[in-house]
Amino acid sequence: MVARRRKRAARNAEEVPSPPGYSAIPIKFSEKQQASHYLYVREHRVREGTKSSWPQKRTLFVLNVPPYCTEECLSRLLSPCGPVQSVELQGKPELTESSKEPKSKFFHPKPVPGFQVAYVVFQKPNGVSAALALKGPLLVSTESHPVKSGIHKWISDYADSVQDPEALRVEVDTFMEAYDKKIAEEEAKAKEEEGVPDDEGWVKVTRRGRRPVLPRTEAASLRVLEREKRKRARKELLNFYAWQHRETKMEHLAQLRKKFEEDKQRIELMRAQRKFRPY
Amino acid sequence: MGPAPAGAQLRGAAGDAEMMEPALEGTVKEGKKESSKKHTVAGSPVEGLLKPVKLSRAELYKEPTSEELNCLRETESLFHSSLLRLQVEELLKEVRLSEKKKERIDAFLWKVNQRIMRVPSTPETELTDQTWLPAGVRVPLHQVPYTVKGCFRFLPPAQITVVGSYLLGTCIRPDINVDVALTMPREILQDKDGLNQRYFRKRALYLAHLAHHLAQDPLFDSVHFSYTNGCHLKPLLLLRPHGKDEHLVTVRLHPCPPPDFFRPCRLLPSKNNVRSAWYRGQSPPGDGSPEPPTPHYNTWVLQDTALKSHVQLLSTVLGSALGLKDGVVLLKVWLRQRELDKGLGGFSGFLVSMLVAFLVSTRKIHNTMSGYQVLRSVLQFLATTDLTVNGISLCFSSDPSLPALADFHQAFPVVFLDSSGRLNLCADVTASTYHQVQHEARLSMVLLDSKAEDGFQLLLMTPKPMIRAFDHVLHLCPLSRLQAACHRLKLWPELQDHGGDYVSATLGPLTTLLEQGLGSRLHLLAHSRPAVSEWDISQDPPKHRDSGTLTLGLLLRPEGLTSVLELGPEADQPEAADFRQFWGSRSELRRFQDGAIREAVVWEAVSMSQKRLIPHQVVTHLLALHADIPEACVHYMGGLLDALIQGLKETSSTGEEALAAAVRCYDELSRLLWGLEGLPLTVSAVQGAHPVLRYTEVFPPTPVWPAYSFHEHLRERASLLPRPDKPCPAYVEPMTVVCHLEGSGQWPQDAEAIQRVRAAFQLRLAELLTQQHGLQCRATATHTDVLKDGFVFRIRVAYQREPQVLKEMQSPEGMISLRDTPASLSLEKDTKQMPLLTSALHGLQQQHPAFSGVARLAKRWVRAQLLGEEFTDESLDLVAAALFLHPEPFTPPSSPQVGFLRFLFLVSTFDWKNNPLIVNLNNELTVEEQAEIRSGFLATRTQFPVMVIITPQDRKNSIWTQDGPSPQILQQLMVLAAEALPILEKQLMDPRGPGDIRTVFRPPLDMYDVLIRLSPRHIPRHRQAVDSPAASFCRGLLSEPGPLSLMPVLGYDPPQLYLAQLREAYGDLALFFYDQHGGEVIGVLWKPTSFQPHPFKASNTKGRMVVLQGGELVMVPNVEAILEDFAILGEGLVRAVDARSERWTV
């Protein structure tokens, strides 16, 4: 352990190694910790022609964000480099921003965080370059901004998990209203189109017609095929010709042979496992 | 780099769980070698895994030769299947003696013959004058009383003949014995030697002299005395060759009288040959009462005279019929696996050979039958006949001078006469032993008829030791107490007959006594036979009390166990006196509801576990009352493991009652749900989906009454919250209930919308339950928690068609097809499969009351080994269920103890690689379907998880083991089980008491790389630990029902929350092991592959850092920071992080 301490001290003194294109920023939970994780940061760039919703030049791409580091926290830690516009934490690198509309907290509970990647958008491009030059170590939890962990975090998580039924009701109602409206519109449209030939004179047949048609599902088509097969099988004659007789006999023999081979293999295995030593 | 190589197989548990690792089998190395040797052999088992056989068309459809056709036909007619035939052949090869060894044995025998003939003779002396015996040898017989008339001199034997199984070619390995009969010359014997043990004394002296001379011969490695079949009047001499042949053979010398020396009529079972006057040293009672008959004594003399005629009979019958010999060998293996063949009164191989001879003579067996058919016929005969009532005889002469079968029935419990018609071959077999043989034969017949795939394995290869075969086991120790029992039971004549062997004299009466007392509770009572000891020739023979312990096994009848009452006759009936006499002070007069006044015995037992132990009370009471055996001498092994599944405060129950209370509460709730008014759609089904509701939760829930002062309050949501300054509140796990709503056109057909509608139902449900029944409810989007009578239920609304909606996919052509998606699978599992399983296992519990105990003990053990989270609850429950549904070759367990032992046995021996565990719930799978599943399994092995459990509801996927365990974890469990089983069995078979029964429940901790020690303050289930702490923290519970207006803290378990965080953040780097029942330690194992340095990759930086190594930039885990993270993430919970850094290097 001592040797390792010394090694670490030596490592701190020299330049922290970082992969090409990235710079490493040490990050610790608080003053008390001795070892630190390293954030690997670089400017967010994409190849020509690839679409990315993150603004070029102003976005900082951060790897290896420790689990106790939240979005607010990261924003606070990087704000000395320049005003931060937004921070988004993700499980793995993705080029596009997640859908704009916020996911319902009732139906999509937050997952337990692990190590994450972050896209930090600064208001100005020089924020990125300032961040790249950061030396650290960054402290996640300080006296002025304590971050909860352990028991305290679990208790507050538990309190958050107790949902407000009224808010849930309101959300459900609004969603269902919109959904009903959408369905009603679609139905009205379908009704309008029913029985009306299109430009080339084709009429669309739907389930709602007077004579319902077979639904277009896989199960239904399989059923039809099966019925056909059975019909054909019924018409065939079994063991009528001599060659048929011969073939069934041969088939039986082949089955026995196959079984025999399988059994021999089993025995071989059992012998290898010494399964025949009774005691 | 990477962790040190020293460590368990577990350590290999790096991400590659796609396929079975070769590490799964202990014999891998061998397998590998073999496979490399014969690379060309098609389908040779590579790494112990069966591959589907692929034969070319040409090979499959070539013209058959007549030989092949014959072989196939024979297999079909003589054996059950080709597999069975091959298996039987292999087994015979394994136990048969090889020709080479036979030659060596023959050479040895010839030398023995010579040496014996060379032993010098001695002058004649009185029998009581034994001074001529040299100092180095003792007479191998208890000479009580010592004085006896007659003279003895030694002369070389008149004839030396090999008798027994060696000659017949039916002896089996290991320990080959060759029986040699030495015919004593007529000059040694005198008239009336049959009387008063004179013959036996001479026999013993003959052996002593022989032993003295042979012991000096360098040809023999060891010369010992032993008893013939454990009969202590008949010693025999064991000779083992010297040198490397030491274990080759044991030659047993049996002296026997010259032919026609004894007059058979004097040795009939009704005759007396041991005079009371001589034996008891007193003059016979003057009233002229006849001397008691000595049937056993007579039989032992007769046995010696018949040695040669028996071997002649057997060799004419078995002679050239190979099938019969095979059959005898198979039967011997069968008996030996059941521990039936050894000791005095064992059902020996000789008896079975004679039985085969009998069946041949009655034409039940034919010479041309195969070994398998002989086995089957003999078992069939044993299963269907009762020799205790209708004896059989090999003698077909109608000589009127021969005694009638009835005479023998009077003297012996089991009757099977030899060809002379005078000797009962089963004389020493007790009724219990015979019933055990019958029971085993019946079980085996059922097994053979069921056409089970692995019948051979279960029938002939699975050992059935007493501790694993019987529900309860009790040891009587010390054996000297039985001497007192003899006096109490007035067994003087028997003692005289057995020559003072009080153990075998009391066995019969004792077992009858207990059988009568246990009555309807008992299915079968078996006793161990005292082991046959061996001793050096310079020592006295071991005393009776030194012959180990007497062990009794009880096979219980579950339906008889529920009653606490022993109903006797009405008080004025004459039988009442007998009843009172039998039960002694426990019998009391009672008036019953129907007005009858009867004698009755009532046992104190309230809970299920106490009722299971009523046999203990019965046995100790009866033994003390009738046999003068105090309670301290009865060591009863029945409920020792119960302590591990007992609740914290309840020591009288193993939780069945608490579980039943929870299930009752659930039933009430489901009635409320059915009758709920005001729901837009009616409830179509309410199903339980929680271990409590199938009786398999290790620690059943108790009603909770939280102390409000202990918690933070969240008034507007009517909930309690944990307080950071207090110890963690009690852990309350809500019991999941699935509530199906009827289908209707009103349901939307869109997954998102269905979710919203369900949420609306959850809200409505909470509202209605509060309004109509005043229950405290809390609704969320996915479930509604309901507090009822202190139990918390989590109701999940389900819509039957939702999984289908999730599965629907539209192809470009507009065809709608159904494809499984992760979401649909998990929903199906939760709302369909889980309730089905729960109800099936609930049913199983009604059928087998011990199921709950077994399943919970099993789960408890797996969790205590820190492996609980790698196995789903359901998979372990199903393994436990398999013990009840497929108990072969045993019967379904009736006590948790034996069930747990069999669980360990199953886990440690099951070949998961090549077999699915089929759990035929409700018997829904037919034999054909099972065979189909098995063959399909081999063909598609790679698509299945490591551990495959098939149920009628889940024939293709093995859903409960899809997400684990990994091969390494399963292997670890097998290793642990294989270690635990012998330890536990030894503890339970130790008559001095089991010692610390919790030993096997304590996990080994030395294999972990890091130990995270937790503070008990925040472990809510701290008191459930295997070694329950004497004191723990207050968990904020009231002992009495309090107000129920606020919802208690639900599912808040800091260690679990901590583990979830650890696994999410460091799951790529390490494995975490924890016992959820009060574990104070989390074991961490680094994954070796993640310690391999690898080049930088943006998608794989979690917890790693870049270092310069050999001029290259590579990534390695940032172990020091991670260790500190362990403490940070678990702040308040973690007490210390012990890094055993000597175990790895970075």
Side-chain angles (χ1 to χ4, degrees):
Chain A
M1 215 49 196
V2 179
R4 196 167 304 137
R5 287 259 163 74
R6 211 172 300 134
K7 213 163 81 191
R8 189 189 326 127
R11 195 187 292 152
N12 276 351
E14 68 196 49
E15 182 66 15
V16 182
S18 61
Y22 289 84
S23 57
I25 311 172
I27 182 168
K28 293 205 277 193
F29 182 71
S30 69
E31 275 298 339
K32 276 179 271 171
Q33 273 65 42
Q34 304 196 330
S36 46
H37 281 291
Y38 297 93
L39 298 180
Y40 296 108
V41 297
R42 67 156 207 218
E43 196 191 321
H44 174 65
R45 254 172 288 139
V46 286
R47 254 178 256 119
E48 219 37 54
T50 322
K51 245 182 91 184
S52 166
S53 53
W54 307 106
Q56 300 271 12
K57 307 274 186 207
R58 287 194 289 133
T59 307
L60 186 70
F61 176 53
V62 188
L63 279 171
N64 203 21
V65 181
Y68 36 76
C69 189
T70 58
E71 295 178 354
E72 299 82 52
C73 186
L74 203 59
S75 157
R76 175 168 53 79
L77 290 174
L78 293 175
S79 55
C81 308
V84 176
Q85 186 184 321
S86 71
V87 175
E88 176 142 352
L89 284 172
Q90 290 180 344
K92 51 179 190 272
E94 261 172 53
L95 287 181
T96 49
E97 225 167 328
S98 57
S99 60
K100 270 293 163 215
E101 93 188 62
K103 281 193 170 177
S104 158
K105 67 167 181 172
F106 297 112
F107 292 96
H108 303 279
K110 261 194 187 168
V112 183
F115 280 91
Q116 288 166 306
V117 298
Y119 292 94
V120 182
V121 183
F122 286 96
Q123 284 179 356
K124 293 190 186 122
N126 58 7
V128 175
S129 46
L132 287 172
L134 261 183
K135 278 283 164 273
L138 304 175
L139 297 180
V140 174
S141 173
T142 56
E143 278 196 19
S144 53
H145 298 279
V147 168
K148 284 181 183 171
S149 77
I151 295 291
H152 290 272
K153 178 169 186 296
W154 299 324
I155 289 180
S156 74
D157 282 355
Y158 182 79
D160 289 346
S161 76
V162 180
Q163 296 172 359
D164 180 9
E166 269 319 303
L168 175 62
R169 189 188 316 276
V170 171
E171 200 200 295
V172 167
D173 286 350
T174 36
F175 182 94
M176 284 318 288
E177 248 170 53
Y179 177 78
D180 284 346
K181 221 164 107 191
K182 198 178 90 187
I183 292 291
E185 268 170 25
E186 272 174 20
E187 234 163 67
K189 201 170 158 222
K191 199 156 200 183
E192 219 169 78
E193 280 177 0
E194 193 179 327
V196 180
D198 65 2
D199 299 346
E200 292 173 25
W202 295 99
V203 176
K204 193 174 180 184
V205 183
T206 63
R207 281 197 299 145
R208 290 183 184 71
R210 243 177 305 142
R211 287 174 53 194
V213 291
L214 208 60
R216 286 200 69 189
T217 61
E218 202 180 26
S221 60
L222 277 179
R223 249 194 322 267
V224 172
L225 281 179
E226 187 62 31
R227 204 179 305 145
E228 284 294 312
K229 217 171 168 187
R230 239 180 297 144
K231 219 186 265 173
R232 226 173 309 135
R234 218 174 326 157
K235 283 184 192 154
E236 248 174 51
L237 287 170
L238 274 180
N239 283 346
F240 182 72
Y241 300 105
W243 60 265
Q244 277 178 324
H245 252 297
R246 214 162 40 235
E247 254 177 27
T248 34
K249 266 191 183 166
M250 207 60 206
E251 193 55 48
H252 179 66
L253 188 67
Q255 282 302 323
L256 281 180
R257 273 179 182 156
K258 199 162 166 227
K259 179 95 195 338
F260 188 58
E261 280 307 316
E262 273 174 12
D263 290 346
K264 270 209 292 211
Q265 196 198 345
R266 242 169 210 279
I267 295 290
E268 194 64 38
L269 177 75
M270 285 165 139
R271 202 183 294 144
Q273 293 173 340
R274 296 166 185 275
K275 280 260 179 84
F276 292 109
R277 281 270 168 85
Y279 20 71
Chain B
M1 282 275 175
Q9 294 90 337
L10 249 188
R11 169 175 284 297
D16 49 358
E18 307 97 56
M19 234 343 269
M20 318 280 300
E21 284 275 296
L24 234 173
E25 199 53 57
T27 56
V28 189
K29 275 182 193 160
E30 252 170 79
K32 259 189 191 163
K33 258 186 227 155
E34 234 162 68
S35 67
S36 61
K37 246 187 271 167
K38 30 181 163 174
H39 242 315
T40 47
V41 179
S44 74
V46 180
E47 286 155 13
L49 183 65
L50 289 179
K51 297 259 169 64
V53 174
K54 285 207 186 86
L55 286 175
S56 65
R57 257 197 90 73
E59 252 181 280
L60 268 183
Y61 293 98
K62 68 180 174 202
E63 283 296 310
T65 59
S66 61
E67 245 168 69
E68 191 185 356
L69 275 182
N70 271 343
C71 184
L72 287 175
R73 198 172 303 136
E74 211 176 82
T75 306
E76 257 181 7
S77 60
L78 294 184
F79 289 85
H80 187 64
S81 70
S82 60
L83 181 65
L84 187 70
R85 178 182 191 147
L86 290 169
Q87 282 173 320
V88 166
E89 278 167 10
E90 282 298 322
L91 174 64
L92 289 174
K93 243 187 261 169
E94 189 67 43
V95 296
R96 271 270 165 73
L97 201 55
S98 67
E99 283 302 319
K100 234 193 218 161
K101 282 195 174 163
K102 253 187 198 160
E103 278 167 27
R104 268 155 63 197
I105 291 176
D106 284 338
F108 179 66
L109 283 176
W110 191 73
K111 279 187 223 158
V112 171
N113 195 346
Q114 279 185 325
R115 306 292 150 103
I116 291 175
M117 293 314 273
R118 259 190 254 149
V119 173
S121 36
T122 62
E124 193 164 88
T125 50
E126 285 287 312
L127 261 181
T128 45
D129 172 23
Q130 292 169 4
T131 46
W132 58 272
L133 264 182
V137 62
R138 309 297 299 249
V139 180
L141 190 74
H142 294 293
Q143 307 184 57
V144 192
Y146 185 70
T147 46
V148 67
K149 284 183 213 158
C151 305
F152 175 77
R153 65 178 300 202
F154 182 87
L155 289 172
Q159 198 184 1
I160 301 180
T161 8
V162 176
V163 294
S165 59
Y166 177 72
L167 206 62
L168 301 169
T170 58
C171 58
I172 57 171
R173 293 199 303 163
D175 38 78
I176 299 281
N177 292 312
V178 180
D179 293 295
V180 175
L182 310 176
T183 312
M184 295 193 273
R186 203 170 274 270
E187 296 82 61
I188 297 178
L189 299 173
Q190 293 150 319
D191 284 351
K192 289 204 172 181
D193 264 0
L195 265 184
N196 296 352
Q197 302 184 4
R198 278 180 220 166
Y199 164 69
F200 291 119
R201 297 280 165 94
K202 288 186 177 177
R203 200 175 171 278
L205 285 171
Y206 196 85
L207 278 181
H209 181 76
L210 211 56
H212 172 70
H213 284 276
L214 294 181
Q216 290 159 357
D217 201 309
L219 178 67
F220 306 111
D221 179 61
S222 73
V223 178
H224 279 102
F225 286 127
S226 182
Y227 290 137
T228 313
N229 293 329
C231 165
H232 82 286
L233 280 179
K234 290 166 67 175
L236 52 79
L237 194 60
L238 304 178
L239 303 174
R240 294 204 178 89
H242 188 71
K244 64 178 168 54
D245 285 348
E246 193 185 337
H247 298 293
L248 174 68
V249 67
T250 309
V251 174
R252 306 196 288 195
L253 302 183
H254 306 258
C256 60
D260 307 327
F261 177 76
F262 290 111
R263 277 169 54 207
C265 63
R266 295 217 40 87
L267 294 169
L268 293 182
S270 51
K271 293 285 191 301
N272 169 289
N273 282 309
V274 181
R275 304 284 184 252
S276 317
W278 171 77
Y279 185 74
R280 295 195 220 173
Q282 63 193 36
S283 54
D287 52 6
S289 67
E291 291 271 357
T294 54
H296 289 96
Y297 177 92
N298 301 351
T299 309
W300 291 333
V301 178
L302 270 176
Q303 276 171 357
D304 271 3
T305 63
L307 281 178
K308 275 175 229 160
S309 67
H310 287 161
V311 92
Q312 270 162 13
L313 172 78
L314 285 178
S315 56
T316 46
V317 173
L318 300 182
S320 56
L322 280 178
L324 297 188
K325 283 184 189 174
D326 289 352
V328 170
V329 169
L330 289 180
L331 278 163
K332 277 181 162 183
V333 173
W334 183 82
L335 284 168
R336 184 155 167 178
Q337 294 290 18
R338 284 152 182 77
E339 296 183 345
L340 284 166
D341 56 340
K342 288 279 149 62
L344 180 60
F347 214 80
S348 62
F350 167 69
L351 262 181
V352 170
S353 315
M354 290 305 260
L355 200 56
V356 170
F358 172 77
L359 291 179
V360 171
S361 70
T362 52
R363 309 229 163 74
K364 293 239 171 68
I365 292 181
H366 194 260
N367 280 343
T368 53
M369 278 184 170
S370 72
Y372 165 74
Q373 283 173 315
V374 171
L375 173 74
R376 215 189 135 93
S377 315
V378 172
L379 292 183
Q380 169 74 21
F381 178 79
L382 282 172
T384 51
T385 47
D386 191 355
L387 299 187
T388 58
V389 185
N390 297 312
I392 51 173
S393 169
L394 267 167
C395 167
F396 298 103
S397 83
S398 49
D399 189 348
S401 69
L402 287 179
L405 272 178
D407 296 347
F408 285 94
H409 275 299
Q410 239 167 22
F412 305 105
V414 189
V415 177
F416 174 22
L417 301 187
D418 76 341
S419 47
S420 72
R422 294 191 178 89
L423 168 60
N424 181 11
L425 298 168
C426 289
D428 296 325
V429 179
T430 61
S432 308
T433 306
Y434 177 70
H435 286 141
Q436 198 186 346
V437 173
Q438 263 189 321
H439 170 77
E440 293 295 348
R442 260 182 234 128
L443 281 184
S444 300
M445 278 318 286
V446 171
L447 182 62
L448 285 176
D449 289 339
S450 76
K451 301 191 173 161
E453 172 96 339
D454 41 2
F456 169 83
Q457 199 69 28
L458 299 172
L459 201 62
L460 293 167
M461 305 302 289
T462 314
K464 287 187 75 174
M466 198 170 222
I467 186 73
R468 223 179 294 151
F470 290 89
D471 292 318
H472 290 177
V473 161
L474 62 113
H475 309 289
L476 292 183
C477 163
L479 274 184
S480 49
R481 288 307 307 192
L482 287 178
Q483 202 161 11
C486 252
H487 290 253
R488 183 60 168 271
L489 290 163
K490 300 198 180 67
L491 294 173
W492 288 112
E494 279 82 358
L495 213 52
Q496 191 171 335
D497 184 16
H498 283 88
D501 181 0
Y502 49 81
V503 180
S504 39
T506 43
L507 254 183
L510 267 192
T511 48
T512 329
L513 175 77
L514 294 182
E515 268 166 9
Q516 191 187 344
L518 289 167
S520 64
R521 294 196 170 81
L522 189 72
H523 190 73
L524 182 75
L525 177 96
H527 58 79
S528 69
R529 280 158 292 283
V532 184
S533 46
E534 244 177 61
W535 66 97
D536 197 78
I537 56 167
S538 61
Q539 281 166 357
D540 278 325
K543 301 220 163 51
H544 299 304
R545 64 161 176 272
D546 297 332
S547 55
T549 48
L550 185 62
T551 305
L552 301 178
L554 311 181
L555 201 60
L556 303 174
R557 209 187 271 277
E559 56 273 22
L561 283 178
T562 49
S563 139
V564 292
L565 183 79
E566 215 74 54
L567 200 58
E570 285 189 24
D572 46 0
Q573 302 275 321
E575 300 94 57
D578 292 340
F579 189 82
R580 268 195 299 275
Q581 195 266 332
F582 187 76
W583 290 107
S585 58
R586 291 304 295 254
S587 166
E588 4 179 277
L589 265 187
R590 285 188 169 242
R591 179 202 286 274
F592 288 89
Q593 268 173 349
D594 60 351
I597 300 176
R598 287 164 172 266
E599 290 286 342
V601 179
V602 178
W603 307 101
E604 305 88 36
V606 184
S607 68
M608 192 63 218
S609 70
Q610 284 172 330
K611 283 181 184 169
R612 264 200 301 266
L613 286 173
I614 290 180
H616 184 192
Q617 295 186 38
V618 175
V619 166
T620 42
H621 174 69
L622 286 180
L623 287 183
L625 181 68
H626 292 286
D628 213 5
I629 299 174
E631 204 178 335
C633 298
V634 181
H635 304 273
Y636 199 88
M637 309 292 172
L640 286 168
L641 289 171
D642 288 358
L644 284 154
I645 45 172
Q646 265 164 5
L648 304 179
K649 281 155 204 153
E650 293 192 56
T651 47
S652 59
S653 152
T654 47
E656 281 91 347
E657 286 71 26
L659 284 166
V663 171
R664 262 200 308 282
C665 187
Y666 153 74
D667 285 339
E668 280 166 30
L669 178 71
S670 68
R671 264 198 296 283
L672 294 186
L673 286 174
W674 282 102
L676 217 51
E677 281 168 22
L679 270 183
L681 293 174
T682 54
V683 173
S684 69
V686 179
Q687 297 169 313
H690 191 267
V692 170
L693 305 178
R694 52 179 186 260
Y695 297 92
T696 62
E697 180 70 36
V698 177
F699 290 99
T702 46
V704 281
W705 317 105
Y708 286 2
S709 59
F710 192 84
H711 298 80
E712 203 89 59
H713 298 198
L714 196 63
R715 285 274 173 210
E716 69 272 23
R717 313 228 173 118
S719 301
L720 293 173
L721 298 180
R723 266 167 71 162
D725 56 332
K726 293 266 187 193
C728 174
Y731 179 69
V732 180
E733 190 175 298
M735 291 174 257
T736 320
V737 174
V738 177
C739 177
H740 283 281
L741 294 180
E742 67 175 339
S744 145
Q746 299 296 311
W747 281 95
Q749 297 302 314
D750 172 79
E752 285 280 317
I754 292 177
Q755 257 187 4
R756 299 315 195 273
V757 174
R758 272 201 288 123
F761 271 113
Q762 301 286 9
L763 289 167
R764 186 90 183 120
L765 212 57
E767 242 169 59
L768 291 174
L769 281 171
T770 314
Q771 273 174 18
Q772 296 180 9
H773 302 290
L775 297 176
Q776 180 59 39
C777 296
R778 192 168 75 192
T780 68
T782 50
H783 55 256
T784 305
D785 291 330
V786 180
L787 179 61
K788 184 174 189 314
D789 306 335
F791 293 108
V792 181
F793 294 95
R794 176 160 287 182
I795 302 176
R796 288 191 59 170
V797 168
Y799 169 46
Q800 233 96 355
R801 254 181 61 83
E802 190 176 352
Q804 207 179 339
V805 172
L806 286 173
K807 277 186 201 172
E808 270 176 14
M809 289 219 213
Q810 199 154 17
S811 68
E813 300 92 58
M815 171 83 84
I816 292 172
S817 55
L818 299 178
R819 293 280 175 276
D820 287 340
T821 60
S824 80
L825 283 177
S826 98
L827 190 71
E828 253 185 348
K829 195 152 118 179
D830 289 347
T831 61
K832 211 169 138 198
Q833 310 269 23
M834 184 89 91
L836 275 177
L837 178 74
T838 305
S839 76
L841 292 185
H842 182 281
L844 188 70
Q845 168 69 17
Q846 308 307 319
Q847 243 179 314
H848 301 283
F851 169 67
S852 166
V854 175
R856 288 159 57 216
L857 259 182
K859 239 193 283 195
R860 169 96 222 228
W861 179 78
V862 174
R863 289 176 181 174
Q865 301 299 328
L866 311 189
L867 297 174
E869 283 155 64
E870 312 290 332
F871 296 84
T872 53
D873 255 18
E874 294 72 25
S875 62
L876 292 175
D877 289 346
L878 281 171
V879 173
L883 299 173
F884 288 85
L885 294 169
H886 311 283
E888 298 85 6
F890 304 99
T891 48
S894 295
S895 79
Q897 169 186 304
V898 71
F900 178 59
L901 289 175
R902 286 188 214 161
F903 171 81
L904 290 180
F905 180 70
L906 176 75
V907 167
S908 60
T909 55
F910 196 81
D911 182 9
W912 293 101
K913 260 198 249 176
N914 295 310
N915 292 298
L917 181 69
I918 297 183
V919 185
N920 197 356
L921 292 168
N922 298 329
N923 231 345
E924 277 173 49
L925 291 173
T926 61
V927 179
E928 291 76 32
E929 279 170 326
Q930 290 185 37
E932 202 177 305
I933 288 171
R934 279 176 208 280
S935 58
F937 173 82
L938 274 189
T940 55
R941 180 66 186 99
T942 45
Q943 293 159 25
F944 280 108
V946 181
M947 186 177 168
V948 182
I949 301 179
I950 300 287
T951 64
Q953 287 84 35
D954 170 26
R955 302 183 186 198
K956 296 203 177 73
N957 294 323
S958 183
I959 45 174
W960 307 114
T961 58
Q962 282 289 353
D963 308 326
S966 65
Q968 293 82 7
I969 300 283
L970 185 61
Q971 171 66 14
Q972 174 70 4
L973 188 79
M974 287 166 75
V975 168
L976 287 171
E979 277 171 17
L981 184 63
I983 295 177
L984 191 58
E985 285 191 342
K986 201 164 157 243
Q987 283 182 324
L988 291 174
M989 284 307 274
D990 192 343
R992 282 161 300 171
D996 187 0
I997 205 79
R998 291 167 195 263
T999 312
V1000 296
F1001 283 83
R1002 297 197 187 100
L1005 288 179
D1006 45 354
M1007 58 185 222
Y1008 296 106
D1009 294 324
V1010 181
L1011 293 179
I1012 305 177
R1013 303 197 182 272
L1014 308 180
S1015 119
R1017 190 180 158 88
H1018 289 289
I1019 305 176
R1021 292 184 268 184
H1022 187 223
R1023 293 290 288 269
Q1024 297 179 352
V1026 170
D1027 293 296
S1028 188
S1032 188
F1033 293 87
C1034 167
R1035 301 293 174 196
L1037 288 184
L1038 301 176
S1039 49
E1040 300 195 345
L1044 279 176
S1045 59
L1046 298 180
M1047 190 61 98
V1049 177
L1050 298 181
Y1052 175 71
D1053 188 8
Q1056 292 297 328
L1057 298 168
Y1058 179 48
L1059 277 170
Q1061 275 189 326
L1062 288 179
R1063 291 202 172 113
E1064 183 58 38
Y1066 310 105
D1068 296 345
L1069 301 172
L1071 294 169
F1072 298 90
F1073 299 90
Y1074 178 66
D1075 176 11
Q1076 63 202 80
H1077 295 298
E1080 279 186 57
V1081 154
I1082 295 177
V1084 185
L1085 267 187
W1086 300 122
K1087 292 184 179 177
T1089 48
S1090 62
F1091 270 62
Q1092 304 283 329
H1094 54 77
F1096 175 81
K1097 228 166 99 190
S1099 58
N1100 195 11
T1101 54
K1102 297 175 176 181
R1104 292 183 166 87
M1105 61 181 180
V1106 178
V1107 290
L1108 204 59
Q1109 213 175 64
E1112 264 182 87
L1113 283 175
V1114 288
M1115 303 210 73
V1116 295
N1118 189 353
V1119 177
E1120 286 151 42
I1122 290 171
L1123 289 178
E1124 279 182 327
D1125 286 356
F1126 287 169
I1128 296 167
L1129 290 177
E1131 200 185 324
L1133 174 68
V1134 172
R1135 213 178 47 185
V1137 177
D1138 286 359
R1140 302 166 165 194
S1141 47
E1142 70 278 2
R1143 297 183 57 113
W1144 76 83
T1145 51
V1146 179

